[in-house]
Every structure is written in structure tokens, then in C-alpha cells.
Amino acid sequence: METTSFLIWLVFIALIFSIGLGAMLRAYQGSGGFTVLFAEPIALSADTALEPDMLLQFQKACDVYRQGSFPQAIERFTHLIQDHPTLAEAYHNRGLSSANLRQADQAVSDLLQAGEQYLEQGHPAGFDRVKQDLATLKQQGIKH
């Protein structure tokens, strides 16, 4: 009889331990804590003309972004900006990457630069998207 009681208590304690451990692991892995604010990068405007190698670099940077490797995406978009300093979409995506990493100062700076580029290039839709993204940052409480 004592062995049966011991085994019942052992199973009961193991069950409570496994439930607690599972809950802690889910919380640690970010199932409710850290959310990506901007899941998709901005695509190139239809009238944006890039050399084939620059277009390939932009597509690869967007792929890295979609994979959630935001530091690497920032690096790739930075290289694009160095080679093509008027590419609004590169500033926009670098800003979104920074926002996803909660780097508010850099995110706001890049989004403002993207907005300027969109206006200079006559892309009001891009400018409106930047305004929406800045509003999202403000709404989420990410301050610079």
C-alpha cells in the first residue's frame, strides 16, 4: 500500500513540475512577450529602376528580413543605402528592421529619411505608409 501511495504522489509531483516547466519554456521562447511589429518588408515601387545586381541585393535583404534576422537585414540595407543613397525603400526597410529590434532612434531616423525620399521621388503612397509606420511605433509605446 505504501508503494502505491508513493508512486501516486511521485506522478502527481512530476505532473505539476512538467506543467510549470512547460509554461516557463513557452514564456522564455517569446510566445507572448516579444512580437514583431512589422512582419513584411516594403517592396520596391513599380517605377524604381535598379541595376540587376542592386535588385538582387535588395531581394536578398528582404529575404533576410522575412527570416527575422533583423541585425543582418539592417547590415544589408545599409550597404544598399551606401550604394544607392536615394533608395527610399532601403531606408524604410532598415527603419522597420530597427523598429522590430526596438531601436527607436534609428527606426525613426530611417523612416523620416524614407519619407523625404518618397516625397522627392513623387511617391505619396510610400510617404503615407511611413506615416502609418510611425503611428504604429507611437501606438506601441516605442519612443525615441
Side-chain angles (χ1 to χ4, degrees), residues 7-77:
L7 289 176
I8 291 173
W9 277 106
L10 184 63
V11 168
F12 180 70
I13 291 171
L15 180 64
I16 290 174
F17 176 77
S18 63
I19 290 171
L21 183 63
M24 287 191 309
L25 286 174
R26 276 193 304 279
Y28 179 75
Q29 292 174 345
S31 63
F34 179 77
T35 58
V36 174
L37 296 175
F38 305 101
E40 283 296 314
I42 301 299
L44 288 173
S45 300
D47 59 345
T48 301
L50 287 177
E51 303 85 35
D53 63 321
M54 293 289 286
L55 180 60
L56 182 61
Q57 287 180 29
F58 185 86
Q59 290 169 340
K60 286 183 179 181
C62 287
D63 289 342
V64 169
Y65 181 106
R66 285 185 195 95
Q67 294 169 1
S69 301
F70 301 117
Q72 188 179 5
I74 290 171
E75 183 179 316
R76 287 180 179 253
F77 287 118

Side-chain angles (χ1 to χ4, degrees), residues 2-141:
E2 286 182 26
T3 306
T4 307
S5 293
F6 175 75
L7 289 176
I8 291 173
W9 277 106
L10 184 63
V11 168
F12 180 70
I13 291 171
L15 180 64
I16 290 174
F17 176 77
S18 63
I19 290 171
L21 183 63
M24 287 191 309
L25 286 174
R26 276 193 304 279
Y28 179 75
Q29 292 174 345
S31 63
F34 179 77
T35 58
V36 174
L37 296 175
F38 305 101
E40 283 296 314
I42 301 299
L44 288 173
S45 300
D47 59 345
T48 301
L50 287 177
E51 303 85 35
D53 63 321
M54 293 289 286
L55 180 60
L56 182 61
Q57 287 180 29
F58 185 86
Q59 290 169 340
K60 286 183 179 181
C62 287
D63 289 342
V64 169
Y65 181 106
R66 285 185 195 95
Q67 294 169 1
S69 301
F70 301 117
Q72 188 179 5
I74 290 171
E75 183 179 316
R76 287 180 179 253
F77 287 118
T78 299
H79 288 300
L80 280 165
I81 290 167
Q82 290 170 348
D83 293 338
H84 203 294
T86 60
L87 186 58
E89 293 87 349
Y91 285 105
H92 200 155
N93 286 328
R94 188 171 73 175
L96 297 180
S97 298
S98 295
N100 285 336
L101 293 172
R102 304 309 192 259
Q103 298 171 350
D105 289 337
Q106 185 63 43
V108 170
S109 175
D110 283 335
L111 291 173
L112 292 174
Q113 183 65 35
E116 287 180 28
Q117 293 300 321
Y118 284 130
L119 286 177
E120 287 179 15
Q121 297 166 12
H123 294 302
F127 181 74
D128 289 341
R129 177 66 190 265
V130 167
K131 289 193 311 187
Q132 290 173 358
D133 294 341
L134 286 168
T136 298
L137 287 178
K138 184 177 179 182
Q139 180 184 15
Q140 293 294 323

